[in-house]
Amino acid sequence: MIRIDRVATRTGDDGTTSLGDGSRTSKDGLRIEALGAVDEANAEVGVLRTLLHADDSVSAFLGRIQNGLFDIGGDLCLPGEAGDRFRIDGRLLASLDDAVAEMSANQPPLDSFVLPGGSAGAAQAHVVRTVVRRAERRVVALAAAEPVNPFVLRTLNRLSDYAFVLSRHLNDDGRSDVLWTRASS
């Protein structure tokens, strides 16, 4: 188990931080950028959960996603690639695929782009989508330099798809979506 006795350790005052293996690295390094972006995504999912308190099934799944994002952080905090210690595997990915398919089946096809908006929950789901995409870009940059669990990228990619489909679900399965029109129109 994890035990945190002190939050303010002052060891990061020099611009470095500890990784899961105890090594120190710069706070602006690729690995820390990826970890930070995943942490931001987790926080945004938490905001979405607070907006959806009445929808227990979606909120419960978002809780599973939050735990999965924490597991992704656990994978990213350790340099190198050691398959026996990976925390994230194909299970969350498969659940995201299933959820996307289930929600999409109730939504009409799109003939326009969708703008963030409609309900507060849908707008926040779009924020989740964009922050997850940023996390994905940071992990791609890290993976170009060092080995990364391949399920991390696949899960982040699918999570952004899920957030988009969820936004439509929260807008009455797309019937209340805010559709894009040319600004010059």
Side-chain angles (χ1 to χ4, degrees):
M1 285 307 314
I2 301 294
R3 179 181 169 138
I4 300 171
D5 293 321
R6 251 177 16 162
V7 173
T9 63
R10 295 176 177 74
T11 58
D13 290 352
D14 64 352
T16 65
T17 191
S18 290
L19 294 176
D21 64 358
S23 64
R24 304 283 303 169
T25 191
S26 176
K27 288 184 178 182
D28 68 351
L30 290 174
R31 185 167 300 278
I32 302 307
E33 283 291 330
L35 276 163
V38 168
D39 190 31
E40 287 178 60
N42 204 337
E44 293 293 356
V45 172
V47 172
L48 180 57
R49 280 184 80 188
T50 65
L51 293 173
L52 304 181
H53 54 83
D55 192 335
D56 293 334
S57 63
V58 171
S59 182
F61 191 63
L62 290 172
R64 184 171 174 207
I65 288 169
Q66 284 191 284
N67 282 291
L69 287 168
F70 211 84
D71 289 342
I72 286 172
D75 279 352
L76 293 174
C77 83
L78 289 167
E81 186 172 11
D84 59 334
R85 62 109 175 128
F86 284 156
R87 293 189 170 119
I88 197 77
D89 56 24
R91 290 176 287 184
L92 180 56
L93 179 65
S95 294
L96 288 165
D97 280 334
D98 291 345
V100 166
E102 183 180 324
M103 284 189 294
S104 294
N106 299 319
Q107 299 173 358
L110 287 166
D111 55 12
S112 177
F113 292 108
V114 176
L115 300 177
S119 69
Q124 181 61 28
H126 279 286
V127 172
V128 168
R129 175 185 56 79
T130 61
V131 173
V132 169
R133 285 286 187 215
R134 180 174 56 231
E136 183 182 14
R137 292 190 304 270
R138 298 298 186 266
V139 172
V140 166
L142 174 62
E146 301 179 42
V148 172
N149 176 351
F151 282 108
V152 168
L153 277 174
R154 292 173 66 195
T155 301
L156 291 173
N157 184 44
R158 206 70 82 253
L159 178 54
S160 64
D161 296 339
Y162 170 80
F164 178 77
V165 173
L166 178 61
S167 75
R168 298 197 72 215
H169 171 74
L170 297 172
N171 273 342
D172 197 24
D173 280 322
R175 289 181 275 290
S176 302
D177 280 343
V178 178
L179 300 179
W180 166 78
T181 57
R182 286 189 179 276
S184 60
S185 297

